[in-house]
Amino acid sequence: MRTVPVRPGPAVPCGLPAAARPIVRLCLVALVLLAFAVPAGATTDDDQFAAAVDALALGSYNDRVAAIEALAALGDPRAVAVLEALMARDLYTRKDTGAVVIGAPADSRRQVRPVDPVTGTIGEPVRTRSLAKIRVNNRVRRAIRSALGALTLADPEPARRLDAAQAVFTARDPDQLVPVRRALEHEADPDVRAALVQAAAAIELAAGSPAERLAAIAVLAESSDPAVQALLSERLLDRDGAPVEPDDEVRAAAADALDRIEQRIAMWRLVGDVYRGVSLGSVLLLAAIGLAITFGVMGVINMAHGEMVMLGAYTTFVLQDAIRTHAPGLFDWSLLIAVPLAFAVAGLVGIAIERGVIRFLYGRPLETLLATWGLSLILQQAVRTVFGPTNREVGTPDWMQGAFETAAGITLTYNRLVIIVFALAVFAVLLAVIRKSAFGLEMRAVTQNRRMASAMGIRTGWVDALTFGLGSGIAGIAGVALSQIDNVSPNLGQSYIVDSFMVVVFGGVGNLWGTLAGALSLGVANKLLEPTVGPVLGKILVLVAIILFIQKRPRGLFALKGRAVEA
Amino acid sequence: MAGHASRAQTAPIDLGGALLLIAVLGAAVAVPYCNLVLPPSSPWHVEGWVVQLLGKYLCFALLAVSVDLIWGYCGILSLGHGAFFALGGYAMGMHLMREIGDRGVYGHSELPDFMVFLNWSELPWYWTGFDLFWLAALMVLAVPGLLAFVFGWLAFRSRVTGVYLSIMTQAMTYALMLAFFRNDMGFGGNNGLTDFKDLLGYDLQADATRAGLFAASALALVFGYLACRRLVTSTFGQVLIAIRDAESRTRFLGYRVEHYKLVAFVVSAMLAGVAGALYVPQVGIINPGEFSPANSIEIVVWVAVGGRGTLYGAAVGAVLVNYAKTYFTGAMPDVWLFFLGGLFVAVTVLLPRGLTGLFRGVRGPSAFGRGAAGG
Amino acid sequence: MSARVRTAAAAGVVGLAALVSGAALAQDAPPIKVGILHSLSGTMAISETTLKDVMLMLIDRQNAAGGVLGRPLEAVVVDPASNWPLFAEKARELIEQDEVAVVFGCWTSVSRKSVLPVFEELNGLLFYPVQYEGEESSRNVFYTGAAPNQQAIPAVEYLMSEDGGAAERWVLLGTDYVYPRTTNKILRAFLNANGITDADIFENYTPFGHSDWQTIVGQVKAFASAGKRTAVVSTINGDANVPFYKELANQGISAEDIPVVAFSVGEEELAGLDTAPLVGHLAAWNYFMSVDTEDNADFIDAWLDFIGDDARVTNDPMEAHYIGFNMWVQAVSQAGTTDVDAVRQAMYGQRARNLTGGVAVMNTNHHLSKPVLIGEIQDDGQFETVWSTDGVVVGDAWSDYIPESAKLTADWTYPWVCGNCEAPRFPVTAE
């Protein structure tokens, strides 16, 4: 084993959002420097290496791919820094000398510090204009990644070794079998080990003897990766339907393994669909839960509810904007800070609406529909006037990015996971407020019997205003979450209003548990139907089912009992 | 609550209604005359686009009257009436598509352009017969009527009322919108039905046809108004009002509440279908956007702005709001939504009986809120 | 939107200043009215408002350069509110009531279909700036956006090429309306002609504003795991794109594994997104903001000054309006009148510089000849051109890949004088 210089693991911060880019640049410099800091056991002489690097700058994308493969074939550890720079579009040719240099960030954005790829010497900053960027496209990037895979099988960072093993699996190059075996001897990380074993099996399946192929199939049969499924089915039948595998025994084993894998994948798919359903349900829950207060508890048909959600999303946008300019370090916390702010903004607007318009309409619930419809038009146009009609970018903090890969290629994304947890948390808090707090008690008293509550000394007017503010504020919080998965535009609220009403009515007006059950069951039903009938038909079927269900249970899933309902 | 029947509620025509009828009938004669007969130089000449615009308003007025029949007199707030309007429109649109014949872009004798384009080999079964005008006209009434019958029968029988019913009607129109947006449905998807050539052999681009359609819309509005008025002033109408004001009490008195509601709902849906059928040839397009829940809410807003429970108020509201929309979208395109939104808020808060309420006495339909809410 | 005069605006106005600079702009000359028919509210406001603004800017610049025919231009802005019947009503109002000389407007196909009869009946003139499905050539409309053969086919050819990644398996994702349906129909025919079987094509349609992409992105991943190189062609429209790309990024689909080429995603759509995880996904257009030419730099400067916000971007439909407007100005100057028939005749063969270099030509089928560019998304929300056509591509009104339309010809000059004919209207006389 060669000793390879230790460097900070770039797997975490690379390729991440705008705010993180300076950090990536810094880490790149460190990376470049470290690559040269430790005298690596260079297997090539400098001239050969320099020639291979210079070849990167020449010719078409085709030539560049060839040059990358040639450079990687040298096996020189210095190539890693060069290829990573090329990947990040930080590799340049000097317009004056034609030499290839790595651009390390300088103090000014218009300048870079040229780093000599062979010696690692850092030059004086030069203007970017004097350099020509070496262009890459997807194909070149893919070649780089595969080359890096071969070079990084022995990388100290497990995540990169995993990438490398996966690259070998995809490439299925018989030449890689020996390095993979060698890597397996030392590999301690279980994930990487599994990937390496799978990669070795994939190579042997393609190129081994019948016995080796059988052994390989036994290894592969334990996988539930769709890529393995594809690999095995290709081994069985080629594109025109002719069998590929010559040996009968091996073919039978492969067919058997394929069956088992397919069963496992089908099971995981179902798990995935349910997860997506719960995730959609949590979005519906967030969108509807505020409405469950304003509409469900107070009886106000609040057509401006969607606009409260939109206000929450725009609050997040404004806050992130301020954070970016004044306190970039807080960016990771921006969403958490946005939650109380959005609650306050939407809540205050809600209170203003209640005091200004809705309080004149109690006892005329259907008329609240008209007034709030007018308000929603006004709010939309106001946002359009202030922020413009185009989408606004709300960034995602690092901790919400990425996904959790389960077996069978089902991806559970972190942002959805966060939203599910968040929705449930909001639900729990709201439930606690209504059940346990003094305000919750007054609120229930006023909605159940206004006159008596008033006679008991409750200021019903204020309770009304605060209740409406609470419902609106919750909608604002929903806006913070929705800004992570949807457009932040003046139309944001409109797309959720019909669904929100559906959820509340389906669950049972005036019952928070009903809203929870309604949202989750609608979400899961939609997502279970979608793979078979498509999203539109699925949605139509769910709507028709709701209409029919309401005939059966005119007051929804969880109907309130007693005479209060009839009022 | 509004138990006793005042004179305005039983007379064949009330004052507002009489004024409306005079205005509409007058327009039905005057507008085509001013458009077709008077020379363009005359100060009284009415231009073609004005005729078309007024015709559109009258269709909306009829639609609003149909909503007022069930909302104002029966307490059923339908947030899905746009669906009946659009279905009537589609029925007419399908006939107009068949009328194009082989004058389409691809020159196919039977299939509309969009079907040729999506590789359909023959007309789907539900398009058969739409080349016959009488059948299409029947469908204009039958399809919305049938949908209303099925929906209403289910909903009223199981006593889905008030807000629940409103949201269900919204779900209905939303589901239909999604369905009609699908190109696989065979109704032209998002582009809908368009590029109509003629109706009953009359060129739709001709001034005379437009004036004729305008007059037809005016007559349909008059007829629709009179039919609704007849309905609500009869004994049947008295029961409807009783249902609106106290549904359970009416039921306890022995009336089959759901039958009364169903009849009103179906009649209303059919009137909406007629309005849609007259609307389509005048605007030249029918698209699933007509099913959007927002459209249906807007219809209700017209009724509220004009004044509910009067029938004529609904018609006035529809014309006024749409005129305001036409005017503001041209005159102040950047801020017109503020005006429109403000108008809705102001009317609901300040004028609970709508604009026509300003001219009505203190008597007449009152105490809507609780009764109309129903739930 | 008050019309403001900008001194810098004169730059970049296609050599026209020379034509009119002699004629002093008479103060009392009646203005020429230009109608702007773009939705400022409703679902399409998000895209169309920008086009309204760019038209106001172009008109400002033209007025600063002396107007047209010695008369100032006056913009008449209306709001059709993303409501299709309202589009027809407003078009009629613009032509009959306001008596505009020309209308620049529409975005969606359905809005164009809605106003088409109005323009044909009243003999108006519409410039339509958005890429669309083709299959149309109206005598009263000039189509300045791309036809399918100027966008879709080159993009697919690129992805099939060695450089583009040699894709063998194709996912066609679209919003369920006529543009994606047509484009995909054409693409399927094209792919079949290139030896790709239907088993290797996955076609899927979603409704407008679709926001939950988990299942479909999962399906794409599964489809792509079959071992062949897979590419996605996206004709997803409008608002649905942001959640789609967010889901792609979150499920870890990188452009190196499964490149997505989009025909409806431009700089404006990317403005609402963090593009770092999307680097390498592609778009095919006739224009990118990143293209480095003097004309483009001037245009971007003027736009940013006009709109007063440096964060704004430019995109392809804006360039289409720029070309269309310049051509109309030239045609009016050439004809010496704003009369629609005269201007239409003057439009044929009219040439105007593209912002990306080269010259666009208006053909007799009312479509432009324009260059086609393919760009990859960069982490700054811009596209970097990775491929472009050598010269310009002639826009086809009728696709060669659809049997019914392959036989149709659009040519509005003698002897054809027809938008959809199989034979010329007039006998072809031998020379």
Side-chain angles (χ1 to χ4, degrees), chain B residues 56 106 117 183 210 329 336, chain C residues 79 89 121 135 176 185:
Chain B
K56 195 174 111 172
Y106 301 112
F117 193 66
N183 274 289
R210 285 204 185 117
T329 49
W336 70 277
Chain C
D79 178 15
E89 182 187 318
E121 177 197 339
E135 304 295 299
D176 191 3
K185 186 174 171 183

Side-chain angles (χ1 to χ4, degrees), chain B residues 47-50 52-53 56-57 104-106 116-119 178 181-184 189-192 194-196 204-207 210 279 283-285 287 289-290 295 322 325-331 333-334 336-337, chain C residues 1 40-42 52 77-81 83-86 88-90 92-93 96-97 108-114 116-118 120-121 133 135 176-178 181-182 185 207-208 398 402-405 407-408 420 422:
Chain B
E47 285 181 69
W49 67 277
V50 179
Q52 220 173 1
L53 205 57
K56 195 174 111 172
Y57 292 166
V105 166
Y106 301 112
V116 176
F117 193 66
L118 291 172
N119 292 338
L178 291 175
F181 263 128
R182 284 164 47 88
N183 274 289
D184 298 334
N190 181 43
N191 274 16
T194 173
D195 205 19
F196 309 130
L204 283 173
Q205 312 269 358
D207 277 348
R210 285 204 185 117
Y279 170 80
V283 299
I285 184 170
N287 152 282
E290 299 295 337
N295 267 24
N322 280 292
K325 213 167 156 181
T326 302
Y327 176 74
F328 285 130
T329 49
D334 292 313
W336 70 277
L337 275 175
Chain C
M1 290 292 147
L40 310 179
S41 59
K52 183 255 313 178
V77 181
V78 293
D79 178 15
N83 176 326
W84 320 132
L86 199 57
E89 182 187 318
K90 289 289 151 194
R92 197 170 279 279
E93 187 182 308
E96 286 202 82
Q97 188 190 352
T108 58
S109 283
V110 56
S111 66
R112 191 191 67 251
K113 293 266 185 214
S114 172
L116 200 61
V118 177
E120 290 185 344
E121 177 197 339
E133 66 278 2
E135 304 295 299
D176 191 3
Y177 74 109
V178 65
R181 290 257 175 193
T182 317
K185 186 174 171 183
F208 283 92
W398 301 99
I402 298 179
E404 298 85 25
S405 77
K407 56 192 181 203
L408 296 176
N420 57 326
E422 294 182 37

Side-chain angles (χ1 to χ4, degrees), chain B residues 192-252:
Chain B
L193 308 177
T194 173
D195 205 19
F196 309 130
K197 305 278 192 242
D198 48 30
L199 175 61
L200 293 172
Y202 296 103
D203 179 7
L204 283 173
Q205 312 269 358
D207 277 348
T209 318
R210 285 204 185 117
L213 280 167
F214 171 83
S217 308
L219 289 178
L221 176 60
V222 167
F223 169 80
Y225 173 81
L226 287 175
C228 290
R229 181 72 197 169
R230 177 92 182 83
L231 210 58
V232 300
T233 50
S234 64
T235 326
F236 179 86
Q238 297 303 309
V239 180
L240 282 188
I241 294 171
I243 293 171
R244 176 191 78 194
D245 291 340
E247 180 167 339
S248 306
R249 213 176 294 175
T250 317
R251 184 175 288 119
F252 299 150

Side-chain angles (χ1 to χ4, degrees), chain B:
Chain B
M1 298 183 78
H4 76 276
S6 66
R7 214 171 58 81
Q9 279 171 281
T10 46
I13 298 284
D14 54 1
L15 179 63
L19 290 175
L20 176 78
L21 287 183
I22 292 168
V24 172
L25 282 173
V29 177
V31 169
Y33 175 81
C34 295
N35 172 241
L36 298 175
V37 183
L38 292 182
S41 55
S42 158
W44 296 98
H45 177 74
V46 173
E47 285 181 69
W49 67 277
V50 179
V51 177
Q52 220 173 1
L53 205 57
L54 292 175
K56 195 174 111 172
Y57 292 166
L58 292 183
C59 295
F60 288 152
L62 178 57
L63 176 60
V65 167
S66 79
V67 170
D68 197 24
L69 172 66
I70 53 167
W71 188 26
Y73 289 90
C74 194
I76 303 170
L77 176 60
S78 167
L79 293 183
H81 243 57
F84 304 125
F85 179 77
L87 285 173
Y90 265 98
M92 176 57 88
M94 285 159 80
H95 173 66
L96 293 173
M97 287 308 273
R98 295 297 305 271
E99 283 278 286
I100 296 175
D102 58 6
R103 286 168 293 172
V105 166
Y106 301 112
H108 196 289
S109 60
E110 221 180 30
L111 294 185
D113 282 341
F114 70 86
M115 288 193 192
V116 176
F117 193 66
L118 291 172
N119 292 338
W120 294 56
S121 53
E122 56 183 25
L123 273 183
W125 59 269
Y126 44 81
W127 275 73
T128 40
F130 271 93
D131 48 333
L132 305 169
F133 179 77
W134 65 267
L135 190 87
L138 188 68
M139 287 298 157
V140 163
L141 293 169
V143 175
L146 195 68
L147 176 67
F149 181 80
V150 172
F151 185 92
W153 186 71
L154 285 169
F156 301 141
R157 193 191 48 140
S158 44
R159 299 186 194 171
V160 179
T161 50
V163 172
Y164 287 88
L165 186 72
S166 303
I167 301 295
M168 285 307 109
T169 52
Q170 190 175 51
M172 175 190 77
T173 192
Y174 187 53
L176 281 168
M177 178 180 80
L178 291 175
F180 274 75
F181 263 128
R182 284 164 47 88
N183 274 289
D184 298 334
M185 283 282 286
F187 294 109
N190 181 43
N191 274 16
L193 308 177
T194 173
D195 205 19
F196 309 130
K197 305 278 192 242
D198 48 30
L199 175 61
L200 293 172
Y202 296 103
D203 179 7
L204 283 173
Q205 312 269 358
D207 277 348
T209 318
R210 285 204 185 117
L213 280 167
F214 171 83
S217 308
L219 289 178
L221 176 60
V222 167
F223 169 80
Y225 173 81
L226 287 175
C228 290
R229 181 72 197 169
R230 177 92 182 83
L231 210 58
V232 300
T233 50
S234 64
T235 326
F236 179 86
Q238 297 303 309
V239 180
L240 282 188
I241 294 171
I243 293 171
R244 176 191 78 194
D245 291 340
E247 180 167 339
S248 306
R249 213 176 294 175
T250 317
R251 184 175 288 119
F252 299 150
L253 286 173
Y255 290 100
R256 295 293 296 271
V257 166
E258 56 273 22
H259 291 183
Y260 285 88
K261 283 167 110 175
L262 193 56
V263 170
F265 196 57
V266 170
V267 168
S268 163
M270 282 158 69
L271 283 177
V274 172
L278 286 164
Y279 170 80
V280 167
Q282 300 191 63
V283 299
I285 184 170
I286 176 78
N287 152 282
E290 299 295 337
F291 286 105
S292 83
N295 267 24
S296 293
I297 293 174
E298 247 191 81
I299 302 166
V300 174
V301 170
W302 304 338
V303 178
V305 167
R308 239 163 326 158
T310 58
L311 294 180
Y312 64 85
V316 171
V319 174
L320 281 182
V321 172
N322 280 292
Y323 175 72
K325 213 167 156 181
T326 302
Y327 176 74
F328 285 130
T329 49
M332 36 191 82
D334 292 313
V335 294
W336 70 277
L337 275 175
F338 289 125
F339 283 91
L340 207 64
L343 175 73
F344 298 163
V345 175
V347 166
T348 17
V349 174
L350 303 176
L351 303 170
R353 297 194 303 156
L355 289 173
T356 55
L358 287 175
F359 307 101
R360 259 178 285 147
V362 273
R363 289 186 303 140
S366 60
F368 254 104
R370 273 202 59 199

Side-chain angles (χ1 to χ4, degrees), chain A residues 96-377:
Chain A
D96 47 359
T97 62
V100 173
V101 292
I102 299 173
D107 298 334
S108 155
R109 283 187 53 192
R110 291 159 191 244
Q111 295 183 329
V112 292
R113 291 169 173 276
V115 180
D116 187 306
V118 181
T119 60
T121 341
I122 304 179
E124 281 302 300
V126 293
R127 284 159 65 81
T128 354
R129 295 185 73 149
S130 66
L131 303 171
K133 195 168 272 186
I134 300 179
R135 303 216 302 191
V136 293
N137 69 354
N138 282 324
R139 178 162 168 247
V140 176
R141 270 193 288 270
R142 201 158 50 234
I144 300 173
R145 201 164 291 257
S146 137
L148 283 174
L151 287 170
T152 52
L153 262 180
D155 197 278
E157 189 63 37
R160 300 186 35 151
R161 293 202 301 276
L162 190 63
D163 282 350
Q166 275 157 359
V168 172
F169 174 84
T170 323
R172 268 170 254 153
D173 178 358
D175 296 343
Q176 303 266 9
L177 194 54
V178 180
V180 168
R181 288 257 161 78
R182 204 184 305 146
L184 262 174
E185 287 166 22
H186 300 274
E187 189 54 66
D189 187 286
D191 289 346
V192 184
R193 269 199 84 81
L196 282 171
V197 169
Q198 196 168 307
I203 297 172
E204 280 181 339
L205 182 69
S209 66
E212 280 172 338
R213 292 209 296 274
L214 267 181
I217 287 171
V219 170
L220 292 174
E222 297 310 311
S223 164
S224 39
D225 186 346
V228 175
Q229 181 195 15
L231 183 70
L232 281 173
S233 57
E234 265 173 52
R235 189 70 203 161
L236 280 172
L237 293 176
D238 72 4
R239 212 168 293 173
D240 306 317
V244 179
E245 174 60 52
D247 189 295
D248 285 343
E249 196 189 344
V250 177
R251 199 161 55 234
D256 186 48
L258 192 59
D259 269 357
R260 285 164 60 196
I261 294 176
E262 274 167 359
Q263 271 174 20
R264 268 197 302 269
I265 290 181
M267 204 239 345
W268 276 108
R269 290 250 158 92
L270 188 66
V271 172
D273 284 337
V274 172
Y275 171 79
R276 290 169 190 150
V278 172
S279 149
L280 176 63
S282 67
V283 169
L284 291 176
L285 176 64
L286 273 174
I289 193 167
L291 199 67
I293 304 284
T294 51
F295 170 57
V297 176
M298 300 180 75
V300 176
I301 307 179
N302 185 11
M303 296 311 279
H305 175 74
E307 278 57 47
M308 299 294 145
V309 176
M310 173 189 77
L311 285 181
Y314 272 95
T315 308
T316 318
F317 164 73
V318 171
L319 175 78
Q320 282 198 348
D321 217 39
I323 284 182
R324 279 208 188 98
T325 42
H326 299 300
L330 283 176
F331 187 81
D332 270 357
W333 298 96
S334 59
L335 290 189
L336 291 181
I337 305 171
V339 168
L341 263 180
F343 182 84
V345 169
L348 286 176
V349 172
I351 291 177
I353 289 177
E354 201 279 342
R355 287 290 89 185
V357 176
I358 292 177
R359 69 171 160 142
F360 303 111
L361 302 174
Y362 285 120
R364 295 189 283 158
L366 293 178
E367 296 190 12
T368 58
L369 178 150
L370 309 177
T372 50
W373 176 251
L375 286 170
S376 92
L377 294 183

